[in-house]
C-alpha cells in the first residue's frame, strides 16, 4: 500500500486506497481512512467526499462502506463543519457537510438495516443541526431528505421522533421553504453563493439554469419536508401537532408544481391525516381544504385518487359527514362513472356505495343533508338503476332510444349554431336522459358539448361538472382532449390557475398524440391558443409567486418587465372557441357517432356541413367536428 501512495500528492489518499488489489488490505485501509479523515486538515478533502457521494448514489445498497464506518465519518465531518468555521471556509471544504448529509441519505433510502446502523452511528443530532439552518438552505435540503428516509422505517422512526423538535422544524420548513430559497438564492443574482451555484448546476450552467434548478430544489425542500411530516402523521399521537389550522390551510398549496410532478406533496399528507379519525375533524373544519380536495378529486393527475380517498373517508365518518356533504357530494357525483384509476379498481362503485350510505344515514336538523345534495345522489342512484334495466331491454328498443337521443342532439347542435346556447344545453340534457347508459362514446360527446354551452353561458362550475363526467366515462379515463380544454377554460374563468394549468398541459399532450386528420396534417400539433394559456397559467402559478409578492419584489420568474401581481392581459391568448373557425376546430362541438350505426348517420353529416357553413358566415364561436 505504501507503493500505492508514493506517487500521489495527497497523503492517505482515498482513491489510492481504493486501488489496493488485496481485499483484506483494502478493507483495512478503508476502515483506517474513515477513522482518520475527519481529523485531517489537508487540501483537496472535497475530492474523496465527492467520490463517495457518487458511489453512494450509484450503489446505495452496497454494505461495504457501511460496515467500515462511513456513517461515523460523515457525522464527524458535519460536526467539524458546524464547529470549525475556519476549516469550513478553507479550500473547498464548504461543500463537505452537504455531501456528507447527502451520502447518509443515499445509503439509508432503501435498506432499514443501514438506517439502523446510521442511527447507532449518531447521525440524527448532526442532521438536526443542519435542519435548524445552522449552515444554509442547501444543507437543510439534504438533511430533511436523510431524516425523511430514517423516519420511513418502523425500527428507526422512534429515534427520529424522540426529538420532538424535528416535527416542528419540518413543519416550519415546509411552510417557509419557498420563501427561504427565494430570498437566499433566487431573488438577487449577484448575491448567490458560488458553491450553491456549483451544486445546483454541477458547474455547467449560467444564471438561467441556476434559476431553474433553484425552483426544482426549492420544490424538493418543501416536498421532502412534507414526506418527513407524513411519517409522523401515521402515528396518531403526533396528529394534534400536525393538525394546526394554519398549517392545514396551507397544505393544498404545497403541490410541488410541474417541477416536481412525481411528489404527492400536500395532498399526500392530507390523505394520511384523513385516514385517522382524529385527523378528519380538523380537516373537515377547514373550508379551504374541502374546496381544494374537491378540485383535486376532479383533476386528471396522479393525485386524484388521494383526494377522492379523503372525501370518501370524511363522508363515511359520522362526526364529519354533515360538515362536508354540500361540497363533497357534488364532486363525487361527477366522479361516479369512473371505473379504474391506477390501482383503484371499480372506484365508481365505491363512490356510489358511500354516497348511498350517506343519504340513508342522514338524520334531521343539524346533521341533515341539504336538499340539493340529496337530489343529486338520488339522481345518480336512478341512473345506476337505469343501467340495470337497460341490460334486460331488447336490442331493438335500445336502438330506438339511441335514435331518439341522436335526433335531440342534432336539434341541440342546430340551436347552438343559431346562437341559442341555453336551448342547446337543454337539448343536450334531454338527449342524455334518452341516451342508453352503455353508449359511453355518445354520452362523452353530450356531456362535453353541454360543458361548452356552460362556458358560453358563464357557468364555469357547470362546465367543470360536465367536463369531469365526460372524462370519467371516456376510455381511457381522463384522456378526452376537448373536455380537458373546456375544463381548463372553466378553471381559468374562476382564477384557479394550477387546476387550469394541469388540464391545459394534459390537453396539449393529447393533441401531440392525436390521430385527428386536422391535427396530424400540421407540423405542430399543439394549438397556439393552448400554449398561450399554459404560459399565462405558469406565470400565475409560479412556484415563487407568493414569496415574491410577500416581499414586494417586482421581478417575477426572471422575466424582465414582469410585475409580480400585475394583471396579465387576457388578450394574449385565445380560447379554442375564439380561434379560426374550421382551422383546428378543437373548440368545436363534439360529434363522435362511430358507435351508432343507423340511418341517422346521413342526417348527422348533413348537420355537420350546415353547421360549418353557418359558423363561417356568422363567425360563431364554435364549430362542429369529429373527435
Amino acid at each position: 500500500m505504501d507503493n500505492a501512495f508514493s506517487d500521489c500528492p495527497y497523503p492517505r489518499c482515498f482513491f489510492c486506497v481504493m486501488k489496493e488489489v488485496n481485499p483484506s488490505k483494502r478493507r483495512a485501509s478503508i476502515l483506517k481512512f474513515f477513522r482518520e479523515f475527519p481529523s485531517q486538515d489537508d487540501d483537496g478533502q472535497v475530492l474523496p467526499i465527492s467520490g463517495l457521494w457518487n458511489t453512494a448514489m450509484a450503489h446505495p445498497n452496497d454494505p461495504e462502506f457501511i460496515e467500515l464506518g462511513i456513517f461515523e465519518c460523515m457525522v464527524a465531518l458535519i460536526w467539524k463543519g458546524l464547529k470549525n468555521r475556519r476549516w469550513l471556509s478553507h479550500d473547498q471544504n464548504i461543500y463537505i457537510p452537504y455531501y456528507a448529509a447527502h451520502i447518509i441519505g443515499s445509503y439509508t433510502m432503501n435498506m432499514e438495516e443501514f438506517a439502523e446502523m446510521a442511527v447507532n452511528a449518531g447521525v440524527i443530532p448532526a442532521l438536526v443541526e443542519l435542519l435548524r439552518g445552522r449552515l444554509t438552505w442547501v444543507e437543510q435540503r439534504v438533511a430533511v431528505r436523510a431524516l425523511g428516509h430514517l423516519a420511513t422505517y418502523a425500527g428507526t422512526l422512534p429515534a427520529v421522533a424522540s426529538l420532538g423538535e424535528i416535527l416542528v422544524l419540518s413543519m416550519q420548513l415546509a411552510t417557509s421553504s419557498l420563501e427561504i430559497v427565494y430570498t437566499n438564492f433566487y431573488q438577487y443574482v449577484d448575491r448567490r453563493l458560488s458553491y450553491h451555484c456549483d451544486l445546483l448546476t454541477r458547474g455547467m450552467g449560467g444564471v438561467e439554469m441556476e434559476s431553474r434548478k433553484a425552483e426544482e430544489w426549492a420544490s424538493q425542500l418543501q416536498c421532502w419536508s412534507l414526506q418527513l411530516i407524513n411519517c409522523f402523521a401515521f402515528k396518531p399521537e403526533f396528529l394534534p401537532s400536525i393538525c394546526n389550522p394554519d398549517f392545514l390551510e396551507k397544505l393544498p398549496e404545497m403541490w410541488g408544481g410541474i417541477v416536481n410532478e412525481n411528489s404527492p406533496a400536500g395532498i399526500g399528507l392530507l390523505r394520511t391525516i384523513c385516514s385517522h379519525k382524529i385527523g378528519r375533524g380538523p380537516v373537515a373544519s377547514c373550508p379551504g381544504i374541502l374546496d381544494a380536495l374537491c378540485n383535486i378529486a376532479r383533476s386528471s393527475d396522479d393525485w386524484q385518487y388521494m383526494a377522492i380517498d379523503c372525501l370518501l373517508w370524511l363522508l363515511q365518518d359520522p362526526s364529519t359527514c354533515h360538515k362536508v356533504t354540500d361540497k363533497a357530494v357534488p364532486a363525487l357525483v361527477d366522479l361516479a362513472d369512473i371505473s379504474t384509476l391506477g390501482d383503484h379498481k371499480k372506484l365508481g362503485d365505491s363512490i356510489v356505495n358511500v354516497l348511498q350510505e350517506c343519504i340513508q344515514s342522514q338524520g334531521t336538523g343539524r346533521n341533515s343533508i341539504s336538499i340539493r345534495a340529496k337530489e343529486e345522489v338520488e339522481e345518480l342512484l336512478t341512473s345506476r338503476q337505469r343501467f340495470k334495466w337497460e341490460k334486460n331491454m331488447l336490442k331493438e328498443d335500445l336502438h330506438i332510444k339511441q335514435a331518439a337521443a341522436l335526433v335531440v342532439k342534432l336539434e341541440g347542435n342546430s340551436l347552438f349554431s343559431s346562437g341559442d346556447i341555453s336551448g342547446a344545453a337543454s337539448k343536450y340534457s334531454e338527449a342524455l336522459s334518452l341516451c342508453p347508459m352503455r353508449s359511453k362514446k355518445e354520452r362523452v360527446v353530450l356531456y362535453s358539448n353541454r360543458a361548452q354551452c356552460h362556458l358560453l353561458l358563464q357557468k364555469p362550475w357547470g362546465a367543470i361538472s360536465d367536463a369531469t363526467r365526460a372524462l370519467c366515462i371516456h376510455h381511457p379515463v381522463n384522456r378526452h382532449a376537448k373536455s380537458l380544454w373546456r375544463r381548463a377554460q372553466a378553471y381559468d374563468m374562476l382564477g384557479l390557475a394550477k387546476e387550469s394549468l394541469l388540464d391545459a398541459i394534459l390537453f396539449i399532450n393529447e393533441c401531440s398524440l392525436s390521430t385527428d386528420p386536422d391535427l396530424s396534417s400540421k407540423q405542430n400539433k399543439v394549438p397556439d391558443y393552448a400554449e398561450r394559456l399554459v404560459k399565462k397559467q405558469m406565470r400565475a402559478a409560479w412556484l415563487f409567486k407568493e414569496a415574491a409578492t410577500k416581499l414586494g419584489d417586482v421581478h417575477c420568474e426572471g422575466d424582465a418587465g414582469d410585475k409580480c401581481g400585475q394583471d396579465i392581459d387576457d388578450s394574449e391568448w385565445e380560447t379554442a372557441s375564439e380561434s379560426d373557425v374550421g382551422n383546428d376546430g378543437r373548440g368545436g362541438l363534439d360529434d363522435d357517432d362511430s358507435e351508432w350505426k343507423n340511418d341517422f348517420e346521413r342526417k348527422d353529416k348533413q348537420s355537420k356541413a350546415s353547421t360549418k357553413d353557418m359558423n363561417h358566415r356568422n363567425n360563431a364561436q364554435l364549430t362542429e367536428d369529429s373527435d
Side-chain angles (χ1 to χ4, degrees):
M1 191 172 70
D2 293 337
N3 291 334
F5 287 126
S6 59
D7 298 327
C8 181
Y10 299 108
R12 300 172 298 280
C13 173
F14 175 74
F15 298 103
C16 295
V17 168
M18 294 299 293
K19 293 178 183 178
E20 176 60 61
V21 294
N22 186 305
S24 59
K25 288 185 177 181
R26 179 177 177 275
R27 286 179 62 86
S29 298
I30 294 172
L31 178 64
K32 183 179 181 181
F33 173 82
F34 284 148
R35 288 177 177 173
E36 296 179 353
F37 186 69
S39 61
Q40 298 172 9
D41 288 323
D42 305 320
D43 291 343
Q45 284 187 290
V46 75
L47 293 176
I49 291 295
S50 62
L52 288 169
W53 172 79
N54 282 314
T55 302
M57 291 287 287
H59 307 286
N61 301 333
D62 188 338
E64 182 181 28
F65 288 169
I66 312 297
E67 296 168 353
L68 296 176
I70 192 171
F71 286 138
E72 289 82 356
C73 179
M74 297 303 107
V75 169
L77 289 170
I78 292 174
W79 283 117
K80 186 173 183 178
L82 291 168
K83 296 177 179 179
N84 190 340
R85 294 306 174 102
R86 180 197 59 79
W87 172 82
L88 188 67
S89 61
H90 178 68
D91 196 37
Q92 297 185 19
N93 295 341
I94 190 69
Y95 295 89
I96 291 179
Y98 169 86
Y99 281 126
H102 207 303
I103 289 167
I104 294 171
S106 296
Y107 276 122
T108 56
M109 64 182 174
N110 297 327
M111 308 289 287
E112 183 171 3
E113 177 186 357
F114 292 178
E116 291 174 349
M117 295 175 72
V119 169
N120 292 334
V123 302
I124 293 179
L127 293 173
V128 171
E129 288 300 310
L130 297 181
L131 186 66
R132 289 189 181 118
R134 284 280 302 276
L135 294 181
T136 72
W137 67 271
V138 164
E139 288 79 18
Q140 281 181 303
R141 170 180 170 271
V142 287
V144 75
R145 168 180 177 263
L147 288 168
H149 294 325
L150 294 173
T152 301
Y153 308 108
T156 51
L157 175 60
V160 178
S162 64
L163 294 177
E165 184 185 10
I166 292 179
L167 177 58
V168 175
L169 289 171
S170 57
M171 290 174 64
Q172 292 174 348
L173 195 56
T175 304
S176 60
S177 56
L178 302 183
E179 185 175 336
I180 289 172
V181 177
Y182 183 79
T183 56
N184 288 282
F185 185 84
Y186 195 99
Q187 187 176 23
Y188 300 110
V189 175
D190 56 344
R191 300 184 192 177
R192 295 177 180 177
L193 296 179
S194 60
Y195 90 95
H196 284 179
C197 297
D198 290 341
L199 286 173
L200 264 67
T201 63
R202 304 288 179 244
M204 296 178 61
V207 172
E208 179 70 17
M209 180 177 286
E210 291 169 7
S211 298
R212 294 304 178 193
K213 292 295 290 185
E215 292 185 43
E216 181 179 344
W217 281 31
S219 173
Q220 291 173 352
L221 178 58
Q222 184 176 73
C223 290
W224 284 339
S225 299
L226 291 170
Q227 177 187 344
L228 177 53
I229 301 167
N230 195 56
C231 295
F232 282 89
F234 281 106
K235 300 294 183 180
E237 60 266 31
F238 297 109
L239 285 176
S241 299
I242 296 173
C243 291
N244 178 290
D246 292 336
F247 179 70
L248 287 181
E249 287 282 5
K250 296 175 182 176
L251 277 181
E253 297 300 313
M254 301 181 191
W255 70 314
I258 306 304
V259 174
N260 200 19
E261 69 277 6
N262 293 324
S263 170
I267 184 61
L269 178 54
L270 280 173
R271 182 176 183 270
T272 303
I273 292 171
C274 287
S275 67
H276 297 280
K277 183 175 182 63
I278 192 174
R280 289 193 282 270
V283 170
S285 300
C286 295
I289 292 182
L290 293 177
D291 290 335
L293 285 174
C294 291
N295 289 337
I296 297 171
R298 290 187 177 103
S299 69
S300 304
D301 59 35
D302 294 337
W303 304 335
Q304 184 178 15
Y305 81 91
M306 297 184 180
I308 294 174
D309 284 347
C310 290
L311 294 177
L312 292 177
W313 285 328
L314 290 168
L315 278 179
Q316 289 175 297
D317 190 330
S319 65
T320 58
C321 182
H322 65 282
K323 296 181 179 179
V324 303
T325 49
D326 287 346
K327 292 185 177 181
V329 167
L332 291 172
V333 166
D334 290 343
L335 297 161
D337 284 322
I338 202 167
S339 54
T340 299
L341 187 64
D343 296 331
H344 287 54
K345 308 297 182 183
K346 297 183 177 180
L347 182 58
D349 292 341
S350 300
I351 291 173
V352 171
N353 292 336
V354 170
L355 291 174
Q356 187 172 15
E357 292 171 3
C358 181
I359 290 293
Q360 294 172 348
S361 64
Q362 287 298 312
T364 58
R366 177 174 174 269
N367 292 336
S368 63
I369 190 172
S370 69
I371 295 175
R372 177 57 182 160
K374 187 175 182 180
E375 289 176 346
E376 290 188 1
V377 176
E378 289 175 345
E379 182 181 346
L380 170 63
L381 297 176
T382 300
S383 68
R384 282 300 176 108
Q385 189 62 42
R386 177 180 153 194
F387 184 81
K388 294 179 181 178
W389 292 337
E390 289 177 355
K391 285 185 177 181
N392 299 320
M393 289 182 67
L394 297 175
K395 289 185 178 180
E396 292 78 5
D397 293 337
L398 282 173
H399 288 158
I400 292 173
K401 288 174 65 69
Q402 289 175 343
L406 179 55
V407 169
V408 175
K409 187 192 80 166
L410 295 177
E411 292 174 356
N413 291 351
S414 179
L415 289 171
F416 184 91
S417 62
S418 65
D420 185 357
I421 309 302
S422 296
S426 297
K427 286 296 181 181
Y428 295 138
S429 297
E430 183 181 349
L432 281 165
S433 68
L434 293 169
C435 182
M437 299 298 293
R438 70 182 186 182
S439 299
K440 293 186 176 181
K441 288 184 179 179
E442 181 61 17
R443 295 184 71 82
V444 168
V445 169
L446 291 169
Y447 276 125
S448 192
N449 281 357
R450 194 171 69 176
Q452 185 69 333
C453 292
H454 286 311
L455 277 175
L456 295 175
L457 293 170
Q458 298 294 305
K459 296 179 179 179
W461 284 116
I464 290 168
S465 176
D466 278 342
T468 300
R469 294 185 183 201
L471 289 162
C472 289
I473 299 173
H474 188 264
H475 181 76
V477 172
N478 294 328
R479 295 280 299 277
H480 187 243
K482 287 187 178 180
S483 296
L484 286 167
W485 177 246
R486 285 160 186 166
R487 197 169 64 179
Q489 290 178 288
Y491 278 133
D492 180 64
M493 291 171 67
L494 294 167
L496 297 172
K498 292 177 182 178
E499 291 80 359
S500 177
L501 174 60
L502 289 173
D503 277 348
I505 290 174
L506 289 169
F507 167 72
I508 288 176
N509 184 57
E510 289 303 307
C511 287
S512 66
L513 300 173
S514 176
T515 57
D516 188 317
D518 290 335
L519 288 177
S520 59
S521 63
K522 301 178 182 180
Q523 291 183 348
N524 179 15
K525 292 186 178 183
V526 179
D528 291 340
Y529 56 79
E531 288 186 350
R532 285 192 285 272
L533 179 58
V534 166
K535 290 178 181 178
K536 172 190 174 183
Q537 305 299 29
M538 288 190 75
R539 285 193 290 268
W542 181 44
L543 193 67
F544 291 131
K545 180 74 174 289
E546 183 178 349
T549 303
K550 182 178 179 180
L551 297 169
D553 192 2
V554 297
H555 298 293
C556 284
E557 51 181 342
D559 291 340
D562 265 354
K563 302 293 183 181
C564 193
Q566 179 182 359
D567 292 335
I568 297 171
D569 184 2
D570 286 347
S571 63
E572 284 185 350
W573 64 279
E574 300 169 319
T575 64
S577 58
E578 294 167 340
S579 59
D580 292 337
V581 176
N583 183 13
D584 53 57
R586 300 309 293 178
L589 291 175
D590 295 290
D591 197 14
D592 188 343
D593 293 322
S594 59
E595 188 179 22
W596 297 15
K597 302 299 182 183
N598 53 48
D599 293 340
F600 288 86
E601 287 183 332
R602 178 178 54 80
K603 294 181 181 179
D604 193 23
K605 291 178 181 178
Q606 291 174 351
S607 176
K608 287 184 188 179
S610 62
T611 301
K612 273 195 174 182
D613 291 340
M614 181 78 72
N615 283 332
H616 279 295
R617 287 196 303 272
N618 298 335
N619 195 24
Q621 290 189 330
L622 295 172
T623 62
E624 178 91 15
D625 65 352
S626 295
D627 236 4

